[in-house]
Amino acid sequence: MLRIKGLTKRYRTGDLALKGIDIEVPDGQVMALIGPSGAGKSTVIRCINRLVEPTAGTITLNDTEIVGLRSGELRRMRRRMGMIFQEYALVERLSVMENVLSGRLGYVGFWQSFMRKFPQSDIDEAFRLLARVGLDHMADKRADELSGGQRQRVGICRALIQNPELLLVDEPTASLDPKTSRQIMRLIKELCGERKLAAIINIHDVMLAQMFAERIVGLKLGEIVYDGPPDKLTPAVLTQIYGEEDWASTIRKADDDAEPVDEIAPATPAETPVIERARLAGLT
Amino acid sequence: MSGAIVTSKKVWQRHDRKTQLAVWAAWLFGTAVFVYCFQLISERTIWAFVWDAPAQAADLGARMVPPAWSYIHYLWRPIWDTLNIATLGTIISIVIAVPIAYCAARNTTPSVAFVRPVALFIIVASRSINSLIWALMLVTIVGPGVFAGIIAIGLRSIGFVAKLLYEAIEEIDESQVEAVRSTGASAAQTTVYGIVPQVMPAFAGITVFRWDINIRESTVLGLVGAGGIGLELNAAITQLYWTQVSLMLLVIIGTVILSEWVSAKVRHAII
């Protein structure tokens, strides 16, 4: 169970990125964090594993306070949280296997890792994970030889070999094509299910968020403006999060049967095509 | 007549009128300075010597051929010394330059306010003094010979290697480092897994490039008594043994070509 209370982040430039966020993520829940660029999604995730130092607030993972940990304790804490990155963030010049095993760095000593002498149990687990994502035959390939989807799978293995209690996922599909995006999201969801793993997924793609997350939190200018199930994500809510647009086509089609989108839509239908045309002409 | 056209078509030029004028004025000024300087130099030149130069060069050239091939047996040792000066000097410089580069790079330095300026100063100091001058000083300190040459090459190379290496460190992709750090890796592990693989190609390229430069530099160190083939060259020139001089020049050219070839091969293999 991850508990975030009153999380505030003010960057050195003076920008208030987060204005006292409260989120609770129970074990095994896959939560999507949506919101426009600059809303503070990445900052939330990076505050949790303290790649970014929070200004105020408390974060506890299974009753361990994260804010204020000293370097040694912080390292042990980071082992319990796996992170998956937007541009994969694999070490390009290392092999797939080395990249996966780097997820165990918090558990092995310096010389062990320097000489690449990882315990056999780690290597077994790495092969098992690579096989699970269908990349066991690629173990000795260099990371920069892989395609985008394959790289993200390696990134997922690197996070999972930590045997984490929480998965932090930052825009996992931003550099992937639509089909690969779905495959990656499905894989993350499946793996979370298999391991009863909680996940926070930052994602731009609202449709993907609705398809694969059981809970959606909408962030706008550092504040939570929506927190609820995917099927309650109406055009009104999306307008609140992102601003005025034609949301009818963004909402997942399957929801149409349950809740007719048109009835809820507050935007006047006549106005929408005008906005669309202006946007296409590049005038806005 | 063109009024209608001017209003209907937008005029585009690379520079506006003012900038055009400024560019033209700058060219005029540059040309004037060149002509003036040429006059100054011309007044202080004894042109008779210059007109005589081709004849002098041809004369010297004639005295240089054929190279004294039999003298080559005396040159193996000095050229081996020269190679050693370059190689050992490069190794010493790398050992010292790597930690300095780590301290100088903005993203890895332990302290931007204190350690970084010191590292940058060492780099500038090393780079601003030519290896020949280092050698001159070192010959008086440690005495003439190969050792002075090695240290001179090493000291001069520290700045070069450290500067290029710290620039390479500053250009790495931070997200890869962040990813390694987020697994709970220690600072040392983050360096080895996140930073070292990224700067390795640059490091190899810089090292081989500097070794290549050092071979050329170490050929002249002998002129001030710091060992190597320069010592022989200096002796031959002062004694006017021009056929020996030409042989040494050929040996030096051969060595440099060999080092170029080796460094090209190594760079190709690593990058």
Side-chain angles (χ1 to χ4, degrees), chain B residues 9-198:
Chain B
K9 289 192 178 170
K10 287 192 177 171
V11 178
W12 184 85
Q13 281 174 319
R14 189 169 160 216
H15 300 301
D16 60 17
R17 180 66 41 124
K18 223 184 213 169
T19 323
Q20 257 175 341
L21 217 65
V23 168
W24 189 83
W27 274 104
L28 183 71
F29 180 73
T31 315
V33 167
F34 178 80
V35 170
Y36 176 70
C37 290
F38 188 85
Q39 258 185 334
L40 275 186
I41 294 166
S42 171
E43 276 167 24
R44 288 165 177 70
T45 306
I46 301 165
W47 286 101
F49 283 171
V50 178
W51 303 134
D52 192 27
Q56 292 291 339
D59 182 40
L60 187 60
R63 271 183 280 171
M64 275 184 161
V65 284
W69 295 112
S70 58
Y71 194 70
I72 193 107
H73 303 294
Y74 297 95
L75 290 183
W76 294 129
R77 181 67 212 224
I79 199 73
W80 175 242
D81 283 351
T82 296
L83 283 171
N84 279 336
I85 291 172
T87 310
L88 293 175
T90 310
I91 291 172
I92 288 175
S93 75
I94 289 166
V95 170
I96 301 171
V98 168
I100 290 176
Y102 190 83
C103 291
R106 202 172 278 280
N107 48 353
T108 53
T109 182
S111 149
V112 177
F114 300 105
V115 180
R116 186 164 188 265
V118 173
L120 289 179
F121 176 76
I122 294 173
I123 290 172
V124 170
S126 157
R127 275 164 58 80
S128 57
I129 299 171
N130 192 285
S131 50
L132 207 60
I133 297 167
W134 278 121
L136 257 175
M137 293 194 291
L138 284 160
V139 165
T140 60
I141 297 169
V142 301
V146 176
F147 184 63
I150 293 172
I151 304 293
I153 288 287
L155 288 176
R156 169 65 182 83
S157 305
I158 289 171
F160 180 94
V161 174
K163 183 180 168 64
L164 292 181
L165 190 59
Y166 98 71
E167 283 172 356
I169 294 175
E170 285 186 347
E171 279 168 19
I172 59 170
D173 175 10
E174 271 307 318
S175 70
Q176 297 180 29
V177 183
E178 212 175 39
V180 175
R181 189 179 297 130
S182 73
T183 65
S186 67
Q189 287 173 324
T190 308
T191 306
V192 168
Y193 272 76
I195 298 172
V196 171
Q198 292 196 62

Side-chain angles (χ1 to χ4, degrees), chain A residues 224-241:
Chain A
I224 292 174
V225 292
Y226 175 82
D227 187 349
D231 51 3
K232 291 271 163 35
L233 209 58
T234 59
V237 170
L238 285 174
T239 298
Q240 202 188 351
I241 299 172

